[in-house]
Amino acid sequence: MTTVSSTTSSTTSSTTATSTTSKSTSSTSTSATANATKTAAQALFTSLQTGSGVDLSTLVPSLIEAQFAAKTAALKAKADTLSAQISDISSIRSSITDFASALASLAQGGTLATQATSSDPSSLSVTTAAGAKLAGMSKSISINALATAQVSSTKSSFSSTASLGTGSLSIKVGSNDAVSITIDSSDSTPSALAAKINAANTGVKASVITDSGGNAYLSFTGATGKDNSFTITATEGDTAGLSRLNVGNNASGTTTNSTAANASITMDGVTVERASNTITDLIPNVSMTLSAVTSKPIALTGTSPSSALSTVVTNFVSTFNDNMNALNKAIDPINGDLRSDPAARALAQKMRTLTTTKLVPGDSSTAGPKTLADLGVKTEKDGTLSVDSVRLSKALAQYPDIVEKMFQASGDNVMGLSAQMNSVQMSATSSVYGLTASYNNLSKQQSDNSDAQSKLSDTRQTASDAMTQRFAAMNSRVSAYKSVQSFMDQQVKMWTKSN
């Protein structure tokens, strides 16, 4: 029932607005008619004073203008009003949508949530992903060992253009099945053989290191972690030499410079190992990068984004005021294009109550701010907002976790500011009760007005054609009468002269 009522109200509002505007332009239409009538009368008087009959090029347009001036002016005034209303609705609707979307993106981005902070970022750096719940977090972390990768290289160098041999190389990484790579004469130079190994994606990367004499060493590197150690076993083909690339199993042609090992850290007294120096599975939505072994524990804490929250409140108020000023202008009771539109007025009322809307759960007995007003954001008489910076700073200092919750994404806090702005956006975009309903109704009126103007133009042309025909006939008769009058005048003068 409410939906139907809202739709009906929206339709009625546009009609009311148009009616009000039509009344305000009635004096203009009357003036236009009076001016057109005066012009037509003057044209007729002038025409009848000439000696060649009626001047149709002046008289007919003047009379037609006098006949249709009122209707033309009324339709044009209505068209101008509808265009202004549609323009205002489009602008306000777009601006509110952009505002709500920007706030939602900011809330989802994670910069308004508590960030993980390391006391020794040179040894342990951290990044916080969106959605992290880190309020009150305090961890003690010691880095006992870094994850390392196995690195093996040839003991001897080779000519960069010579063949290293043909056959196959079997590469086995950890407990994975061995992968066999065929090496023929076209793949046997150091750079070509390295490329062939890399293309196989076995988990071992080969590279060529050139010494000062231009000769090449081959280096083989695996992934970090003890389970990623590897062996390379050659099977000689027609051209011997691949066995020089064997790795592991007492190979004599290569040396292992670094072994594969896990990273080891102790967090809150519990020691764990990971294959990588980037650890993402210990604290949800927090990525830790290990850079150095530590001699003392590192403090990992959650730091409230007080500065970011203070800035976003200020920016929110500024953007809100821009939107509210535009809306106030549109619904101004005297000059506003949308002054009689209930959807626009409902949107303004909803925005006016935003500062007193509860943004976090809890009743009055629960300590801490619950609304924007509690943060020092005040609604002025015209609906715009102002910020008490002292009160805002105090709230951020005393209740950082609660303030942070107010600005969480709508999925995390269905009462938060982002969710409330989504509701405001719905009032602006709904095709049932919002500005879109008004937009659709006004667009229909605009189309009807355009049709009416087109029909009036056709009617005007028809009347002009008919009037031209009538005056043309009259013009012919007037010319004949004047010819007779001229002849009679000459005869009288002749008679008078002869006497």
Side-chain angles (χ1 to χ4, degrees):
M1 183 64 70
T2 303
T3 300
V4 174
S5 176
S6 298
T7 305
T8 303
S9 298
S10 178
T11 303
T12 304
S13 72
S14 297
T15 303
T16 303
T18 304
S19 175
T20 302
T21 303
S22 297
K23 290 179 181 180
S24 66
T25 58
S26 61
S27 60
T28 302
S29 300
T30 301
S31 177
T33 302
N35 290 336
T37 302
K38 182 178 180 181
T39 301
Q42 182 61 44
L44 178 60
F45 177 78
T46 302
S47 294
L48 293 177
Q49 294 302 310
T50 63
S52 58
V54 178
D55 181 6
L56 300 183
S57 64
T58 301
L59 179 60
V60 172
S62 298
L63 292 176
I64 291 297
E65 181 64 23
Q67 181 179 348
F68 291 93
K71 291 182 179 179
T72 300
L75 288 175
K76 184 180 183 306
K78 184 176 182 179
D80 291 343
T81 297
L82 291 172
S83 294
Q85 290 174 324
I86 290 174
S87 177
D88 278 358
I89 286 177
S90 297
S91 178
I92 293 170
R93 185 175 57 177
S94 176
S95 183
I96 290 292
T97 298
D98 291 345
F99 184 19
S101 298
L103 182 62
S105 296
L106 189 62
Q108 293 167 359
T111 57
L112 300 182
T114 296
Q115 303 292 302
T117 303
S118 169
S119 63
D120 183 4
S122 63
S123 300
L124 174 65
S125 60
V126 292
T127 56
T128 306
K133 302 295 186 294
L134 305 179
M137 182 186 71
S138 178
K139 301 290 183 182
S140 175
I141 297 177
S142 296
I143 303 175
N144 309 314
L146 296 178
T148 56
Q150 178 182 338
V151 179
S152 301
S153 59
T154 58
K155 292 180 179 179
S156 303
S157 62
F158 311 100
S159 169
S160 60
T161 58
S163 172
L164 296 179
T166 60
S168 64
L169 294 175
S170 177
I171 300 179
K172 180 175 175 56
V173 178
S175 60
N176 297 331
D177 293 336
V179 177
S180 181
I181 303 172
T182 300
I183 306 297
D184 57 30
S185 58
S186 63
D187 304 317
S188 61
T189 63
S191 59
L193 189 146
K196 192 69 176 288
I197 292 175
N198 292 338
N201 293 319
T202 62
V204 175
K205 295 297 182 182
S207 58
V208 176
I209 301 174
T210 304
D211 64 14
S212 59
N215 294 320
Y217 290 84
L218 279 176
S219 176
F220 308 100
T221 305
T224 59
K226 66 180 182 181
D227 292 335
N228 292 314
S229 61
F230 61 89
T231 61
I232 300 176
T233 304
T235 300
E236 299 285 9
D238 295 337
T239 303
L242 284 184
S243 60
R244 293 173 293 178
L245 306 182
N246 285 345
V247 174
N249 300 322
N250 299 315
S252 61
T254 61
T255 182
T256 296
N257 307 304
S258 173
T259 58
N262 286 343
S264 172
I265 68 170
T266 300
M267 185 168 76
D268 293 342
V270 178
T271 300
V272 297
E273 293 185 358
R274 292 293 185 270
S276 171
N277 287 316
T278 298
I279 302 174
T280 60
D281 61 347
L282 286 181
I283 303 174
N285 295 307
V286 174
S287 175
M288 299 184 290
T289 300
L290 314 181
S291 301
V293 174
T294 58
S295 58
K296 60 181 180 180
I298 298 172
L300 187 63
T301 56
T303 302
S304 177
S306 298
S307 178
L309 288 170
S310 178
T311 298
V312 79
V313 170
T314 302
N315 291 342
F316 175 86
V317 168
S318 177
T319 306
F320 181 96
N321 287 345
D322 290 341
N323 283 272
M324 196 69 205
N325 285 330
L327 187 54
N328 282 339
K329 181 179 179 181
I331 64 174
D332 180 83
I334 299 176
N335 299 315
D337 294 319
L338 303 179
R339 57 186 176 273
S340 299
D341 189 292
R345 303 192 73 83
L347 174 61
Q349 182 58 31
K350 190 173 186 65
M351 293 177 68
R352 289 173 188 271
T353 61
L354 198 58
T355 56
T356 56
T357 301
K358 186 181 291 187
L359 302 180
V360 290
D363 54 32
S364 57
S365 63
T366 306
K370 297 173 183 61
T371 66
L372 286 177
D374 294 335
L375 298 182
V377 180
K378 177 185 176 183
T379 300
E380 303 295 342
K381 290 183 178 180
D382 62 354
T384 59
L385 306 180
S386 61
V387 182
D388 183 339
S389 58
V390 174
R391 189 173 179 181
L392 175 60
S393 297
K394 185 176 180 180
L396 285 169
Q398 292 182 332
Y399 306 101
D401 297 347
I402 297 178
V403 178
E404 178 182 327
K405 189 172 181 62
M406 289 181 173
F407 289 88
Q408 287 179 347
S410 58
D412 298 316
N413 181 12
V414 296
M415 298 176 62
L417 186 59
S418 181
Q420 299 304 326
M421 278 306 301
N422 287 341
S423 179
V424 171
Q425 180 184 356
M426 185 60 69
S427 294
T429 60
S430 173
S431 60
V432 177
Y433 58 84
L435 288 179
T436 298
S438 299
Y439 179 90
N440 293 338
N441 181 43
L442 292 170
S443 295
K444 176 62 169 58
Q445 292 186 51
Q446 189 179 53
S447 177
D448 292 343
N449 180 270
S450 179
D451 291 342
Q453 289 192 66
S454 180
K455 291 179 181 178
L456 182 64
S457 178
D458 293 341
T459 302
R460 178 173 178 149
Q461 185 60 49
T462 300
S464 178
D465 293 343
M467 188 175 293
T468 298
Q469 291 178 356
R470 291 196 300 271
F471 276 107
M474 186 182 73
N475 193 36
S476 178
R477 291 194 294 270
V478 169
S479 296
Y481 296 154
K482 288 188 175 182
S483 178
V484 172
Q485 181 186 21
S486 177
F487 173 76
M488 294 297 294
D489 184 59
Q490 291 176 3
Q491 291 299 315
V492 170
K493 289 180 179 180
M494 289 178 63
W495 293 337
T496 303
K497 184 178 180 179
S498 63
N499 291 332

